Amino acid sequence: MTTAPSLEISGLAYAYPDGHQALFGVDLTVGRGERVALLGPNGAGKTTLVLHLNGILAGGVGSVTVAGLPVEKRNFAEVRRRVGIVFQDPDDQLFMPTVREDVAFGPAAAGLRGAELEERVQGALEQVGMAGFADRPPHHLSFGQRRRVAVATVLAMRPEILVLDEPSSNLDPASRRELADVLRSLDVTVLMVTHDLPYALELCPRAVILSEGVIAADGRTQDLLCDEPLMRSHRLELPFGFDPRSVHVA
Amino acid sequence: MGAGHAHKLYRHGHSPVHRLPPHCKLAAAFAFVLVVVSTPREAVWAFGLYAVLVAGVAAVARIPAGFLLRRLVIEVPFVAFAVLMPFVAQGERVDVLGMSLSVSGLWGAWNVLAKGTLGVAASVLLASTTELRALLLGLQRLKLPPMLVQIASFMIRYGDVVTDELRRMSIARRSRGFEARGVRHWGVLAKTAGALFIRSYERGERVYLAMVSRGYAGSMPVIDEVTATRTQWAYAAVLPVTALAVCLMGWTL
Ligand SMILES: Nc1ncnc2c1ncn2[C@@H]1O[C@H](COP(=O)(O)OP(=O)(O)OP(=O)(O)O)[C@@H](O)[C@H]1O
Ligand SMILES: [Mg+2]
């Protein structure tokens, strides 16, 4: 397949229609198979950045390419297949009457039918350990289960890069760990927006800090989390009693 | 097909009627109702036969009579309307139990009652043997405008989410010491409704983003195509065709 990085963002700046400037020139490259945490305080522009990755927001300055393909209107269909975004609230993401139909939505929109479609759906549900729930309506699942199904809905599209907006929010510790196991088991590039710093450390060898619309730091997650002045200057705080130095990461 | 969405009217089962494809059942029920409505009201015996037909389908579907009858109570408001007709209608009058009733009103009442009851019974049968999800697929198959089918399926999906939101807002209100008592508090309830509308609207926007992110470009991809064989259509046709025969007899006799 391609050797281009999964994601290449350069000089991306964006102002919302009301004039509020949210991004001021973001540069970020994510290689194939990398797992990168995108950290930053509330209002830093993380969600704004994520919405640029598949062209939902556009019209600013700069460029985004996904595995060599520029995110432009004429490529939207392919880009949206390659970039799988898992939104924060699974109730927004799961809009079909049954889990199976929801997971099938993306691949079916891309033209898959019949046995091939069925196989995709089964495969994706198995990857997140939800194969037994295919015929359930999403609103009868627990929050953690819905989050996992939301991940399956984008996995079914065989994305080049999986983008998760706050994957661990609202999960109990067991669901949080189960989701971590799922994410670790996937063989796909991951960009994970999170406020959960221990989670970032656990899952992502590399982290970037987005602050006031620019990438303020980029490095090994452990190094960033251990750099107290850096963390403080970007309103990032570790949970009480958590010492990133004491964690052994691969 | 989904085991979910077991709505209140649905009765789980594996009868031949349950197994018929949803669009066949929809078409059959609709045709049956059309036939019933176009039967002359004077052919009282025809309505008796229709009732027998409905009972027959219910027996094949293994829907107990009690279940069916209890669900017929939706009809009560119409019954009330029908009962009024003999009293208020004009024209020739007869004396029944010392009351002077209008003849055309009596026929009108009978007409509404008989046709209404049969129509409701057919719909209840359809609903108790078909899941909501299947009904939607059937409507889609019968070429109902896709927009309507999409709206209906979003209503099913988000009905619970919205009621839940409403419930949470009511809990939040009451936790802060508010009880709706009387007209003076309607303002607060109106604001709640407004807030609910805005929240739902914003959710709609977020859902739309999620759909677009997965390749939505204006039309829902076909995921479940419901199909029917000729035999299944033939089975479904038994009810309306028999009813049509009865109806024709009603016009000629
Ligand atoms: N639709 C919008 N119109 C105008 N401004 C917006 C809009 N959405 C977000 N903003 C502004 O853009 C900035 C970045 O918002 P964004 O949602 O990207 O932050 P975030 O990093 O995702 O924050 P959080 O951690 O709270 O999710 C914020 O200052 C926000 O107020
Ligand atoms: Mg955000």
Side-chain angles (χ1 to χ4, degrees):
Chain A
M1 280 216 7
T2 82
T3 48
S6 286
L7 180 66
E8 227 173 346
I9 304 173
S10 73
L12 185 68
Y14 179 79
Y16 277 101
D18 68 356
H20 182 93
Q21 180 98 19
L23 299 177
F24 295 86
V26 172
D27 295 291
L28 176 65
T29 302
V30 180
R32 301 209 74 205
E34 263 193 299
R35 276 204 301 270
V36 179
L38 180 60
L39 313 176
N42 288 136
K46 303 181 297 293
T47 302
T48 310
L49 180 60
V50 165
L51 293 177
H52 275 87
L53 302 185
N54 68 357
I56 290 206
L57 287 182
V61 195
S63 71
V64 181
T65 57
V66 176
L69 191 71
V71 179
E72 289 168 5
K73 199 165 173 83
R74 64 193 158 87
N75 296 333
F76 276 174
E78 176 61 15
V79 162
R80 283 173 186 166
R81 199 198 58 69
R82 289 189 191 182
V83 180
I85 301 185
V86 180
F87 290 94
Q88 187 170 349
D89 185 348
D91 273 327
D92 299 339
Q93 180 113 23
L94 306 176
F95 45 79
M96 295 293 275
T98 64
V99 166
R100 193 173 58 77
E101 285 167 281
D102 220 304
V103 177
F105 183 90
L112 238 58
R113 293 285 181 277
E116 211 182 340
L117 181 61
E118 198 55 39
E119 196 183 309
R120 271 293 176 89
V121 172
Q122 271 308 314
L125 284 174
E126 270 160 28
Q127 276 179 295
V128 300
M130 292 293 292
F133 294 81
D135 286 324
R136 300 276 295 273
H139 57 266
H140 289 171
L141 303 179
S142 79
F143 196 88
Q145 291 171 330
R146 271 181 279 170
R147 180 65 55 70
R148 276 192 277 161
V149 172
V151 173
T153 62
V154 299
L155 285 181
M157 294 162 75
R158 305 256 165 94
E160 162 82 24
I161 176 166
L162 185 63
V163 181
L164 303 133
D165 201 349
E166 313 248 3
S168 63
S169 62
N170 290 322
L171 294 186
D172 65 23
S175 314
R176 183 173 168 278
R177 183 191 42 74
E178 283 164 5
L179 184 67
D181 293 341
V182 167
L183 294 177
R184 234 193 317 263
S185 73
L186 301 175
D187 180 25
V188 53
T189 311
V190 172
L191 181 66
M192 185 171 108
V193 174
T194 187
H195 293 292
D196 184 344
L197 300 176
Y199 212 53
L201 182 59
E202 184 186 345
L203 284 169
C204 303
R206 177 182 162 204
V208 296
I209 296 179
L210 183 71
S211 186
E212 293 174 356
V214 292
I215 299 285
D218 182 344
R220 280 187 63 220
T221 309
Q222 195 160 30
D223 295 346
L224 295 190
L225 297 195
C226 293
D227 186 341
E228 273 166 40
L230 175 77
M231 296 285 283
R232 212 171 313 116
S233 66
H234 299 296
R235 289 177 55 87
L236 294 172
E237 284 181 19
L238 295 166
F240 177 75
F242 177 75
D243 181 4
R245 266 168 285 260
S246 68
V247 178
H248 175 77
V249 285
Chain B
M1 204 120 319
H5 299 297
H7 55 100
K8 280 200 285 291
L9 290 175
Y10 182 68
R11 188 183 162 87
H12 189 67
H14 299 280
S15 76
V17 183
H18 283 83
R19 275 196 301 271
L20 274 184
H23 54 297
C24 301
K25 281 188 275 188
L26 271 165
F30 185 67
F32 176 74
V33 172
L34 274 189
V35 168
V36 168
V37 170
S38 35
T39 308
R41 58 189 188 185
E42 287 79 10
V44 177
W45 54 270
F47 294 97
L49 285 183
Y50 292 148
V52 172
L53 280 177
V54 170
V57 175
V60 177
R62 292 186 216 113
I63 302 289
F67 183 91
L68 198 60
L69 291 176
R70 252 176 288 129
R71 266 134 195 94
L72 280 178
V73 294
I74 333 175
E75 208 200 358
V76 167
F78 300 96
V79 174
F81 173 71
V83 166
L84 280 180
M85 281 167 84
F87 293 96
V88 297
Q90 304 294 313
E92 191 189 336
R93 301 188 87 79
V94 288
D95 280 322
V96 179
L97 303 174
M99 288 177 292
S100 162
L101 300 178
S102 150
V103 172
S104 68
L106 275 175
W107 275 118
W110 156 251
N111 196 30
V112 169
L113 263 187
K115 294 182 178 175
T117 310
L118 285 165
V120 173
S123 316
V124 168
L125 264 185
L126 175 67
S128 41
T129 57
T130 321
E131 279 180 46
L132 223 52
R133 179 64 200 136
L135 276 178
L136 284 179
L137 289 175
L139 289 171
Q140 191 171 10
R141 187 60 218 271
L142 291 175
K143 301 275 184 276
L144 197 77
M147 197 54 81
L148 288 183
V149 180
Q150 281 180 39
I151 291 174
S153 42
F154 283 119
M155 276 169 62
I156 303 180
R157 169 62 184 91
Y158 286 101
D160 283 6
V161 175
V162 172
T163 20
D164 206 46
E165 212 140 356
L166 197 59
R167 196 179 48 83
R168 281 204 303 268
M169 281 156 81
S170 135
I171 291 175
R173 265 198 327 262
R174 276 185 285 146
S175 313
R176 282 181 268 161
F178 175 85
E179 285 294 341
R181 279 182 306 256
V183 180
R184 276 185 303 132
H185 292 130
W186 285 5
V188 177
L189 297 182
K191 286 202 191 81
T192 308
L196 185 69
F197 175 76
I198 291 175
R199 285 193 195 187
S200 307
Y201 181 82
E202 287 178 344
R203 182 179 296 280
E205 271 184 343
R206 292 197 304 272
V207 171
Y208 177 72
L209 284 189
M211 293 172 66
V212 168
S213 298
R214 283 199 272 150
Y216 177 78
S219 66
M220 291 306 245
V222 180
I223 293 165
D224 286 309
E225 182 95 78
V226 281
T227 52
T229 61
R230 263 163 212 275
T231 336
Q232 284 172 320
W233 273 114
Y235 275 128
V238 169
L239 175 69
V241 169
T242 324
L244 185 64
V246 174
C247 175
L248 292 178
M249 284 200 296
W251 279 106
T252 46
L253 291 188

